[in-house]
């Protein structure tokens, strides 16, 4: 359900297939991927990267911007995004060891203990493979407060 097709969405707006989208399409592409930035937030993202309204941005800049946006909106999605960025070959999984190091480098850095807890919660073998969809389902099930 949350297998986000960043590249596909980006490509829809990359009309000349040059690996770039127009700054003016950024809001639309971000919303197409389930983020909900305000026009002001989009302007700030572009300013941060020194891109003016008539400019363009490449896919890696776009990923960075999405990453920032999602971090503001939803820490769980940020984890998914870290996994997607780590999975260069688009295999649908990454190694637990790589996920661990990514989680500890995220904007909201997780401590080794938090990573261990997350892995326990999602039944991840320390040296195993982590499939996104299963992982995300496990960590996004609302936690009950007793």
């Amino acid at each position: 359900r949350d297998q986000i097709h960043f590249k596909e969405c980006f490509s829809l707006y990359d009309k000349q297939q040059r690996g770039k989208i127009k700054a003016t399409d950024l809001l639309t592409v971000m919303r197409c991927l389930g983020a909900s930035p305000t026009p002001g937030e989009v302007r700030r993202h572009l300013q941060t990267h020194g891109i003016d309204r008539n400019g363009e941005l490449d896919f890696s800049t776009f990923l960075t911007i999405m990453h920032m946006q999602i971090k503001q909106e939803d820490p769980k999605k940020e984890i998914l995004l870290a996994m997607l960025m780590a999975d260069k070959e688009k295999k649908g999984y990454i190694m637990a060891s790589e996920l661990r190091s990514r989680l500890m480098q995220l904007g909201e850095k997780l401590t080794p203990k938090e990573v261990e807890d997350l892995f326990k919660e999602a039944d991840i073998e320390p040296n195993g493979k982590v499939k996104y969809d299963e992982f995300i389902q496990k960590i996004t099930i609302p936690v009950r407060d007793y």
Side-chain angles (χ1 to χ4, degrees):
R1 184 180 59 81
D2 220 0
Q3 196 66 329
I4 312 172
H5 308 292
F6 282 78
K7 195 70 186 159
E8 280 173 27
C9 237
F10 184 88
S11 299
L12 285 176
Y13 291 88
D14 175 14
K15 301 276 193 275
Q16 284 94 30
Q17 300 302 307
R18 291 182 307 126
K20 292 181 186 296
I21 59 169
K22 294 189 169 79
T24 47
D25 287 329
L26 179 59
L27 181 74
T28 315
V29 180
M30 290 175 81
R31 291 205 168 144
C32 150
L33 289 166
S36 38
T38 64
E41 285 173 328
V42 170
R43 260 197 315 280
R44 273 198 300 283
H45 287 307
L46 290 168
Q47 278 165 359
T48 305
H49 292 276
I51 298 164
D52 73 24
R53 282 171 7 112
N54 310 315
E56 297 178 311
L57 53 156
D58 62 16
F59 188 62
S60 77
T61 306
F62 169 70
L63 270 183
T64 307
I65 289 175
M66 276 301 289
H67 202 192
M68 296 305 296
Q69 183 65 32
I70 283 172
K71 192 167 77 187
Q72 297 163 17
E73 290 180 20
D74 183 352
K76 292 270 180 12
K77 277 209 187 127
E78 190 193 1
I79 293 171
L80 177 63
L81 190 50
M83 293 172 81
L84 286 171
M85 289 168 84
D87 181 21
K88 302 268 185 288
E89 289 87 48
K90 307 281 175 276
K91 296 184 295 272
Y93 66 85
I94 63 173
M95 300 311 290
S97 54
E98 186 166 8
L99 178 59
R100 174 181 290 110
S101 70
R102 295 236 159 208
L103 290 173
M104 290 164 71
Q105 293 159 6
L106 283 178
E108 305 294 313
K109 292 187 178 56
L110 297 183
T111 65
K113 168 103 176 66
E114 288 170 319
V115 173
E116 290 313 314
D117 292 347
L118 195 59
F119 278 21
K120 269 200 207 82
E121 188 186 333
D123 306 320
I124 293 171
E125 300 294 318
N127 311 317
K129 291 177 181 172
V130 186
K131 289 202 170 81
Y132 311 139
D133 33 12
E134 291 171 18
F135 180 69
I136 291 301
Q137 268 168 358
K138 285 179 181 150
I139 64 170
T140 48
I141 294 165
V143 180
R144 286 197 203 85
D145 291 323
Y146 290 108

